[in-house]
Amino acid sequence: MRKIKYSEALSEGLIQAMERDPNIFVTGISVDYSVGAFGSTTEAVRRFPTRVFDAPAMENALTGIAIGAAAMGKRPIVYHPRCDFLFLAFDQMINLAAKWKYMYANQAGSMPLVVRAVVGKGWGQGATHSQSFHSILAHFPGMHVVLPATPADAKGLLMSATQTDCPVVIIEHRALYNIEGDVPEEAYTTPIGKANVIREGKDITIVATSFMVQEALVAATELAKQGVDAEIIDIRSIRPLDEETVLNSLQKTGHILAVDTSWEMCGFSSEIAALAAEKGYYHLKSPARRMSVANCPAPVSLPLETAFYPKASNIAKTVLAMLGKNGDMSNIDQDDNFKGPY
């Protein structure tokens, strides 16, 4: 199997989905630029020039237009290069798209809307360009929310989203676009709502989202040198949530740490802690722990930004503390090579 980048996997999945279904079209800010969508739409523009087109910065109106198109049988994919501006489309997504089949009792067509949104740190992006609010979207029934952390899932979840008859939000982390992984050439789907045990272990369960999966893998490699065998669950989908995989792992390890790309309070890591407390209480050998970004808006200063986001070293140190162990994990973090443009 060949290795390709996360961005290339998205591109390949998009092409194969558009070949399969002529009702799919792509719009959003910069999707028809040569480096638009981090290169993930470049080939689609070449192959389907009338079905991939740029849109002005009108997030609310654009989402409403896409909802109308979806209700009429099209399968729009709307791209947001900065997730933060998706707030402007929340009314359309939450009060129309998510509730469509409930309001009209399935008598007004389906709502196969796909929204791709980019999150995560950049190079001093600051408080209004660095937010990851997947837990807010996942709060509302009627939408699926997925966070692919590997190239294989980037392709598979995108292809699943384009075959789903309800709104799907795909959250893509900036730091993932250049990572490489094994990806099948043929078309395939990754099931929405099914987590992936990406590393098996017996001592502690780490439930991670998005880029934190990659950081958790680095931490687990170093923890193994300290005699700690960490199991890592790439949650992939937070609505629907695969509770069974999480609880089965907790039953095996007795310890659980939830690592997320957003804040703790009312966030996804809190949902995992609540799940462990309510349905896995008798398996817990220590309190469930959460790890997320610092409890303040993202700073612009590079040293402060570096401290703001959790890293492999933070994960490893927390795991050791939970298990009553000591060890130096200060030098395990990988270099951040992200250079923009967004």
Side-chain angles (χ1 to χ4, degrees):
M1 190 181 298
R2 81 281 159 72
K3 289 184 180 293
I4 61 174
K5 293 181 179 179
Y6 187 99
S7 59
E8 294 169 336
L10 284 168
S11 175
E12 186 171 85
L14 179 59
I15 294 296
Q16 292 175 349
M18 295 180 77
E19 288 175 338
R20 175 184 176 274
D21 190 340
N23 287 313
I24 295 174
F25 69 88
V26 182
T27 188
I29 298 170
S30 79
V31 292
D32 62 355
Y33 291 15
S34 60
V35 293
F38 293 87
S40 64
T41 57
T42 306
E43 180 63 14
V45 173
R46 189 186 70 80
R47 296 277 297 276
F48 308 101
T50 62
R51 293 165 60 190
V52 183
F53 47 91
D54 188 34
M58 53 174 199
E59 288 81 359
N60 191 31
L62 174 61
T63 305
I65 293 168
I67 288 171
M72 296 304 294
K74 296 296 184 181
R75 287 187 172 271
I77 300 176
V78 181
Y79 174 78
H80 295 271
R82 295 190 189 276
C83 190
D84 313 75
F85 297 112
L86 191 57
F87 278 122
L88 297 167
F90 266 31
D91 179 42
Q92 300 279 10
M93 293 178 64
I94 293 166
N95 282 327
L96 279 180
K99 297 178 175 63
W100 191 266
K101 72 174 184 178
Y102 300 96
M103 293 288 289
Y104 302 110
N106 275 337
Q107 301 301 307
S110 58
M111 185 48 56
L113 170 68
V114 177
V115 175
R116 292 177 54 194
V118 183
V119 303
K121 62 182 179 179
W123 32 273
Q125 296 289 317
T128 59
H129 290 156
S130 302
Q131 299 166 104
S132 183
F133 44 77
H134 43 278
S135 62
I136 300 175
L137 290 167
H139 181 68
F140 295 93
M143 280 192 292
H144 293 341
V145 182
V146 300
L147 298 90
T150 65
D153 283 346
K155 177 179 175 178
L157 286 170
L158 175 61
M159 296 201 72
S160 285
T162 62
Q163 298 175 38
T164 302
D165 286 335
C166 72
V168 181
V169 182
I170 304 174
I171 303 294
E172 304 164 13
H173 197 288
R174 289 184 186 94
L176 291 171
Y177 285 109
N178 285 322
I179 69 164
E180 293 187 339
D182 293 332
V183 180
E185 292 186 44
E186 67 274 10
Y188 64 92
T189 58
T190 298
I192 294 174
K194 180 62 177 174
N196 181 27
V197 180
I198 204 166
R199 184 187 192 278
E200 294 191 359
K202 59 181 175 56
D203 294 327
I204 188 169
T205 299
I206 302 174
V207 180
T209 62
S210 190
F211 184 61
M212 289 299 100
V213 172
Q214 301 297 330
E215 296 284 22
L217 286 169
V218 174
T221 298
E222 297 302 318
L223 286 166
K225 299 174 184 177
Q226 303 287 332
V228 175
D229 190 14
E231 180 151 298
I232 299 174
I233 298 176
D234 175 3
I235 203 68
R236 297 197 294 200
S237 168
I238 63 172
R239 183 183 274 274
L241 178 63
D242 184 357
E243 296 184 358
E244 182 180 4
T245 295
V246 174
L247 292 171
N248 286 343
S249 180
L250 175 58
Q251 183 177 8
K252 177 170 62 172
T253 67
H255 304 275
I256 190 165
L257 170 65
V259 188
D260 190 24
T261 57
S262 190
W263 294 280
E264 286 182 353
M265 186 171 180
C266 301
F268 174 72
S269 60
S270 297
E271 187 67 28
I272 294 299
L275 174 64
E278 290 181 358
K279 298 183 179 181
Y281 177 79
Y282 292 104
H283 305 314
L284 286 169
K285 299 175 183 176
S286 67
R289 290 286 300 272
R290 300 170 296 165
M291 179 177 292
S292 299
V293 297
N295 191 28
C296 64
V300 174
S301 158
L302 181 58
L304 291 177
E305 185 185 64
T306 301
F308 177 78
Y309 293 100
K311 300 177 286 296
S313 58
N314 305 123
I315 297 171
K317 290 174 185 175
T318 301
V319 167
L320 289 175
M322 291 175 67
L323 298 178
K325 297 178 178 289
N326 296 308
D328 183 12
M329 295 289 169
S330 58
N331 296 317
I332 71 171
D333 294 320
Q334 298 177 318
D335 293 333
D336 184 358
N337 296 316
F338 180 81
K339 300 299 181 185
Y342 296 106

